[in-house]
């Protein structure tokens, strides 16, 4: 029932599910890695799904509906990770950031809109609280800074959903994502390709935005 509820919501936002059949595995031990048509409770890169992986436990435990978020996150990797896959190491960030964005949206729409907003804010606050000298946060090259993958998992959703979406508008933002997934189904994709889709959909040159992040 939970799976049908999540897919019902995602069906209004995403392209057709990449797999014709879907087996949902209950978590056992470390959980199963999602692959085409199989959904477990871990993402393809070994981080716990449905949570903000690098958050301190006291912050993470305050996020509501963790099981529903975990399921949504795992299902979303059928699109981000299976439907499209990263062409290079620099493109892995998409497989972290966009499942987190739509998971937060689902929690907000399905349970509590304030909780959905909170998930974006908690991730941003956790990332900005990282101690150390100021350093750039590269979403596509997180290993080059002390932030590591917290940038893609925690700040990436905020950067795209709360910054880029507001800059170019909902229609251009979601339209670009939808067309990007449809055009590249089953393919390896790059950040540059995604940028091109956002630019064409919005009529806005976004090199500065993508170069910065």
């Amino acid at each position: 029932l939970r799976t049908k509820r999540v897919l019902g919501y995602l069906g209004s936002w995403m392209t057709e599910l990449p797999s014709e059949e879907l087996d949902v595995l209950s978590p056992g031990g470390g959980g199963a890695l999602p692959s085409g048509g199989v959904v477990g409770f871990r993402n393809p890169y070994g981080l716990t799904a449905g949570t903000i992986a690098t958050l301190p436990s006291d912050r993470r435990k305050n996020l509501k509906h963790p099981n529903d978020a975990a399921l949504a996150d795992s299902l979303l990797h059928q699109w981000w990770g299976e439907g499209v896959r990263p062409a290079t190491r620099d493109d892995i960030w998409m497989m972290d950031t966009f499942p987190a964005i739509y998971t937060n949206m689902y929690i907000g729409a399905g349970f509590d809109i304030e909780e959905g907003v909170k998930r974006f804010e908690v991730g941003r606050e956790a990332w900005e609280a990282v101690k150390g000298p100021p350093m750039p946060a590269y979403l596509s090259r997180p290993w080059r800074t002390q932030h590591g993958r917290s940038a893609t998992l925690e700040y990436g959703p905020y950067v795209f959903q709360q910054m880029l979406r507001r800059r170019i508008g909902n229609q251009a933002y979601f339209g670009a994502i939808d067309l990007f997934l449809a055009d590249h189904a089953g393919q390896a994709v790059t950040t540059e390709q995604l940028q091109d889709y956002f630019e064409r959909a919005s009529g806005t040159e976004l090199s500065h935005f993508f170069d910065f992040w």
Side-chain angles (χ1 to χ4, degrees), residues 10-210:
L10 295 179
S12 64
W13 291 100
M14 309 296 290
T15 57
E16 184 177 352
L17 188 69
S19 302
E20 293 184 3
E21 296 183 358
L22 198 64
D23 293 322
V24 179
L25 306 179
S26 60
L33 295 178
S35 59
V38 180
V39 176
F41 282 77
R42 289 166 62 89
N43 73 28
Y45 307 102
L47 294 171
T48 303
T51 65
I52 299 176
T54 56
L55 280 181
S57 59
D58 61 330
R59 292 184 182 179
R60 188 166 59 241
K61 70 181 181 182
N62 291 327
L63 294 176
K64 299 177 182 177
H65 314 293
N67 291 334
D68 293 279
L71 178 58
D73 184 272
S74 288
L75 286 166
L76 279 154
H77 280 97
Q78 294 295 304
W79 285 274
W80 298 97
E82 292 296 331
V84 297
R85 60 188 184 276
T88 71
R89 187 184 184 190
D90 286 350
D91 306 305
I92 290 176
W93 70 271
M94 290 184 278
M95 313 305 146
D96 288 335
T97 292
F98 287 101
I101 286 173
Y102 284 94
T103 293
N104 294 350
M105 289 170 54
Y106 169 68
I107 295 299
F111 300 95
D112 181 352
I113 190 169
E114 292 184 0
E115 180 68 16
V117 173
K118 176 184 175 182
R119 294 179 71 89
F120 286 105
E121 293 297 328
V122 167
R124 176 185 64 83
E125 291 168 2
W127 182 85
E128 291 179 350
V130 174
K131 296 181 179 179
M135 294 181 68
Y138 298 117
L139 296 183
S140 62
R141 299 178 297 279
W143 54 86
R144 297 187 184 182
T145 76
Q146 86 274 30
H147 302 298
R149 298 221 4 246
S150 66
T152 66
L153 289 162
E154 296 167 4
Y155 209 56
Y158 180 83
V159 167
F160 274 80
Q161 187 75 354
Q162 308 295 63
M163 294 185 185
L164 182 61
R165 179 180 61 86
R166 293 178 178 179
R167 179 173 175 177
I168 67 175
N170 284 343
Q171 184 173 352
Y173 178 78
F174 289 111
I177 294 173
D178 187 68
L179 190 59
F180 178 76
L181 290 173
D183 286 352
H184 297 287
Q187 300 176 19
V189 295
T190 67
T191 301
E192 291 75 18
Q193 288 173 316
L194 180 64
Q195 176 184 337
D196 179 62
Y197 274 73
F198 280 126
E199 289 182 338
R200 285 191 284 146
S202 64
T204 303
E205 208 280 324
L206 297 170
S207 293
H208 178 72
F209 179 89
F210 276 84

